[in-house]
Amino acid sequence: MGKYFGTDGFRGEAGVNLTADHAYKVGRFLGWYYNALRERSGNNEPARIVIGKDTRQSGDMLEAALTAGLCSVGADVESLGVLPTPAVAYLVKKYNADAGVVISASHNPMEFNGIKIFAGTGYKLPDDVENEIEKHIDNDCADIPLATGASVGRVSVRADGLQDYVDHLYESVNGDLSGLNICIDCANGASAAVAQKLFPRLGAKCTFIGITPDGANINKDVGSTHLDNLEKAVVEGGFDCGIAFDGDADRCLACDEKGQEIDGDKIIALLAMNMKEKGCLDGNTAVVTVMSNLGFIKFMESQGIRTEKTAVGDRYVLENMRENGYAIGGEQSGHVILLHHSTTGDGELTA
């Protein structure tokens, strides 16, 4: 844990301890860093950075500042608009960009925001690079030269990101949800547009709630941190189940037809069992954190599935999975990583 960066990026209250000035300096470092990597490899083309965000009101401010920082040192920016965090992790690799940035504070209230950074591989930046960013923030980026004239970076908008991501999810799931009647809570966040394209395409009959973001209502009494409204809607509406995402859709929680919560441990257990049946549970192991309860461990044992525990934080789960070749891991909070299809937790893929 650094001064600014925690286990999931740079988080803070927008305008207080995560300001436009912070975002500008992060952008200035990233542009300089990735331009330098290109130069060392003999590529003199400017670095390309893609940026996505959730629906928070402060997202526009932080994106503008981040973009200014990137362009000020000669990097080009492609704005993806409102998209889930896992969409950016997927698209940065698909579009062969140098890095991808998500402006989001995930499940937190609207007054907070954050900056998550993915390398071109789709994986989060290593600690040593985040530490370098922090040093340059505190040094006002004094040793990073500014671009001038024709070397200043350019900004463009990519409108194909949403459809490319929906297609990726559809092809990854490769299933048929016909006959299911589902209530889906999008938390007034980044999943709203994606979910409304994806789940009906998979054949499900869907009712959506939390799909009217106004910049201030993200995660407010909706989504995976407020399941009571979804649970009530499922029971009253006679749905087969309910699905809830958080603001940037990297988490998924659910409830059954009786309105009973299905937390991350239960979701991981269900998926791991299914993967074992299909012969794709690599290492016959699911990776969880120390927060997972003993009941989960015992149930996995009864199914002949091993478990490994890590410190709390999805980055530690992912590290273990990559080091040991495991295919599934996650947290009670509903942050589930399915490494055959995604480099980070993906709520809609999980659902």
Side-chain angles (χ1 to χ4, degrees), residues 199-215:
F199 292 98
R201 182 174 168 186
L202 288 164
K205 180 182 177 183
C206 301
T207 296
F208 296 95
I209 59 178
I211 54 171
T212 55
D214 62 9

Side-chain angles (χ1 to χ4, degrees), residues 255-274:
C255 68
D256 64 16
E257 75 281 4
K258 297 178 182 178
Q260 297 174 327
E261 181 179 346
I262 303 173
D263 68 8
D265 280 350
K266 292 176 182 175
I267 290 170
I268 293 166
L270 285 166
L271 291 174
M273 289 165 58
N274 183 259

Side-chain angles (χ1 to χ4, degrees), residues 241-255:
C241 65
I243 299 292
F245 306 117
D246 64 340
D248 69 335
D250 63 354
R251 301 183 187 201
C252 167
L253 291 179
C255 68

